[in-house]
Amino acid sequence: MWRDHLTEIIVFTFLFLLVSVMGFVAARWRAPKDMAHLDEWGLGGRSFGGWITWFLVGGDLYTAYTFVAVPALMFGAGAMGFFAVPYTIVIYPLVFLVLVRLWSVSHRHGFVTPADFVRNRFDSPVLALLIAITGIVATMPYIALQLVGIEAVLKTMGVTGDNALARHLPIIIAFAILAAYTYQSGLRAPALIAFVKDSLIYIVILVAVIYLPYKLGGWGDIFDAADAKFQASQRADDGILLNGNNQLQYVTLAFGSALALFLYPHSITGVLASRNRDVIKRNMSALPAYSLLLGLIALLGYMAIAAGVKPLPGAKEGTVDSNTVVPLLFDQQFPDWFAGVAYAAIGIGALVPAAIMSIAAANLFTRNIYKEYLKRDASPAQEANVSKITSLVVKVGAVACIVFLDPQFSIDLQLIGGVIILQTLPAVALGLYTRWFHRTGLIVGWAVGMGLGMWMLYQVASPTRKHFGGSAFPLSEFGFDTTKTIYVGIVAVAVNLAVAALLTLALRAAKVEDGADGTEPDDYFADEGDPRVTPGTERDADSAREPVA
């Protein structure tokens, strides 16, 4: 009953309302005289320095889903859940130089989305449209997953109802508030709130990894309890160590997830909001510190095993909601007031990425669908207004995913989203370094990779679902005599690249026209204050930084 959690509810509500007020105040924080421009509403004036970018990008990548789902996977499967730690370390060296090139060419040409870059680089509105649609589709389930994190907290506090409306009403209210201040403040809202969100998470995790092992008998007892649970499990792949069956899946999932991370539109949005190249370089060097935090968060799953946590019942009869593991651990082991702080960290941890994701999806629709196909002469003010409205629609769609879909399927949808967004790698990431690929080859490669990925995902079953039950594809389906599995995304993007390369060779041999490259080599090294910025893409710098009185 919620009355048993009154202190937690009060603390959670206070902090939630505090950041909501900050979200509305953000409209006047570092604000220009005119917000009616995508550079201002959707990218914060492209003016964020090192600290703001650190919290914004960190808050964008390490979400409420991370807070509840990674420990839940550790709780249920063991070492496999640690895949999230290496992939968030591996990715930063990979994108260190890639992202500064993207920032530079976007800064010089006024690109707001990755599809803007692809449109200009390959002279192909069709390829740009595919990149935009891919980004929107891959982002939608990711936003819905932020709601899963909030829902797990609310369920633990007993804030649920007997019918669908009562059960989801708190989430609907929370996202209505999020929609309101995002509409008003744009990217400045999550940038400001990220300071509070990350501070709360650091405090909660540091207290947890010091206090909980002491209370539970030490790390030795925690790992022994986890090992005992997995030894008794009927599933051969579960355990505190990897085995021969799941090592290939672990490696490919970690590497594939790393490649996908900065292809997501919301990740790119945080990067493009940076002030200059040095800001990006410093952040790519320092952001792995978040991975240390992520490793500590993952260990909460083992602590929950040692504490004897039993997940709450799931939506379907006979199932459990593993996402409630961490909230229940906090509820059982911490004083009520601190559990409320921890719940607020998870709840606010959902708001920051959800806001950035909705803005990124809205920018894609506005620049690469609305302006390209519906109103070519749209003014900057019209673009900003369409993006605001679209961000509201995206949030409504995310709420609908939670209301009408099984939350577990929402998690599987996110894994599907990773496979989908990986198919943009040849055009976006490799396109920053080479114009060798033919635009038709990239389009066909995207189609083949996407089709293969969807077919493979359709074949994956789970204990509760016959199709689309995860992203671990059994190699036996390809005729191999083995029980090993592989991450679908890696196979699909490898085939995508192969098709794009082979078709490029054929088209070049046939001398098929390939369009004009709208960028120049030195575009990829432009920096702040570059005098060659396309007119109209960099607004009055002084007025853009002048605070509103």
Side-chain angles (χ1 to χ4, degrees), residues 255-338:
F255 185 59
S257 299
L259 294 178
L261 188 61
F262 275 95
L263 291 172
Y264 278 104
H266 57 275
S267 302
I268 293 175
T269 295
V271 170
L272 295 186
S274 302
R275 185 169 58 221
N276 54 41
R277 289 164 61 96
D278 283 344
V279 167
I280 300 170
K281 291 178 180 178
R282 289 197 300 270
N283 272 275
M284 291 306 105
S285 300
L287 276 168
Y290 272 100
S291 298
L292 171 63
L293 184 69
L294 179 58
L296 299 176
I297 290 174
L299 289 173
L300 292 174
Y302 286 170
M303 295 182 203
I305 295 174
V309 170
K310 302 295 183 185
L312 294 175
K316 292 183 178 180
E317 187 176 351
T319 63
V320 296
D321 184 359
S322 59
N323 293 311
T324 59
V325 165
V326 169
L328 285 170
L329 175 68
F330 291 157
D331 180 57
Q332 295 174 12
Q333 301 296 324
F334 286 137
D336 289 350
W337 68 269
F338 192 79

Side-chain angles (χ1 to χ4, degrees), residues 122-473:
F122 295 99
D123 193 18
S124 175
V126 174
L127 182 58
L129 177 64
L130 293 177
I131 298 299
I133 293 174
T134 302
I136 294 170
V137 171
T139 301
M140 286 293 293
Y142 221 146
I143 302 174
L145 279 178
Q146 308 314 310
L147 293 174
V148 172
I150 298 178
E151 190 170 55
V153 167
L154 295 174
K155 185 184 291 188
T156 304
M157 292 191 297
V159 186
T160 56
D162 297 329
N163 56 65
L165 177 61
R167 185 167 65 252
H168 296 295
L169 184 59
I171 290 180
I172 294 172
I173 294 173
F175 255 56
I177 296 172
L178 169 68
Y181 65 65
T182 304
Y183 183 92
Q184 175 178 320
S185 305
L187 194 65
R188 287 173 171 81
L192 186 58
I193 294 171
F195 284 94
V196 177
K197 174 252 187 186
D198 286 358
S199 298
L200 285 176
I201 288 180
Y202 269 106
I203 291 171
V204 170
I205 295 304
L206 290 176
V207 170
V209 298
I210 294 172
Y211 173 72
L212 290 179
Y214 167 77
K215 190 171 182 180
L216 296 173
W219 286 108
D221 287 352
I222 290 172
F223 280 100
D224 286 344
D227 188 41
K229 174 191 174 181
F230 296 127
Q231 290 287 349
S233 172
Q234 300 299 313
R235 295 170 54 181
D237 291 346
D238 294 348
I240 62 172
L241 297 175
L242 297 173
N243 57 52
N245 282 333
N246 57 20
Q247 288 173 356
L248 178 63
Q249 170 67 14
Y250 181 92
V251 171
T252 54
L253 178 57
F255 185 59
S257 299
L259 294 178
L261 188 61
F262 275 95
L263 291 172
Y264 278 104
H266 57 275
S267 302
I268 293 175
T269 295
V271 170
L272 295 186
S274 302
R275 185 169 58 221
N276 54 41
R277 289 164 61 96
D278 283 344
V279 167
I280 300 170
K281 291 178 180 178
R282 289 197 300 270
N283 272 275
M284 291 306 105
S285 300
L287 276 168
Y290 272 100
S291 298
L292 171 63
L293 184 69
L294 179 58
L296 299 176
I297 290 174
L299 289 173
L300 292 174
Y302 286 170
M303 295 182 203
I305 295 174
V309 170
K310 302 295 183 185
L312 294 175
K316 292 183 178 180
E317 187 176 351
T319 63
V320 296
D321 184 359
S322 59
N323 293 311
T324 59
V325 165
V326 169
L328 285 170
L329 175 68
F330 291 157
D331 180 57
Q332 295 174 12
Q333 301 296 324
F334 286 137
D336 289 350
W337 68 269
F338 192 79
V341 172
Y343 293 162
I346 298 174
I348 297 169
L351 297 183
V352 172
I356 304 171
M357 291 169 190
S358 66
I359 290 169
N363 289 345
L364 280 168
F365 174 82
T366 300
R367 289 298 291 262
N368 309 115
I369 298 177
Y370 173 76
K371 187 168 184 177
E372 182 74 42
Y373 294 97
L374 302 178
K375 191 173 177 60
R376 286 182 174 272
D377 61 345
S379 67
Q382 289 173 322
E383 285 185 9
N385 191 52
V386 169
S387 203
K388 288 180 179 181
I389 295 171
T390 305
S391 74
L392 299 179
V393 175
V394 168
K395 293 184 185 71
V396 171
V399 173
C401 287
I402 294 299
V403 173
F404 297 110
L405 294 178
D406 178 0
Q408 183 57 47
F409 187 55
S410 298
I411 294 173
D412 292 332
L413 274 178
Q414 194 276 328
L415 296 174
I416 295 171
V419 175
I420 291 173
I421 201 65
L422 261 177
Q423 306 317 309
T424 67
L425 185 145
V428 177
L430 298 185
L432 287 165
Y433 276 92
T434 179
R435 181 61 168 71
W436 179 79
F437 286 101
H438 194 286
R439 58 186 178 181
T440 303
L442 289 171
I443 292 171
V444 176
W446 176 93
V448 173
M450 195 69 72
L452 176 62
M454 291 301 102
W455 175 81
M456 292 174 68
L457 290 166
Y458 182 80
Q459 306 302 317
V460 178
S462 72
T464 59
R465 193 171 302 105
K466 188 175 181 180
H467 303 290
F468 295 107
S471 61
F473 186 79

Side-chain angles (χ1 to χ4, degrees), residues 13 23 33 73 80 86 92 121 142 164 171 190 204 206 208 218 289 294 339 353 381 383 426 437 509 515 524 536 543:
T13 303
K33 292 178 179 178
L73 185 56
M80 195 66 195
Y92 295 110
R121 176 69 150 162
Y142 221 146
I171 290 180
V204 170
L206 290 176
L294 179 58
E383 285 185 9
F437 286 101
Y524 299 91
S543 65

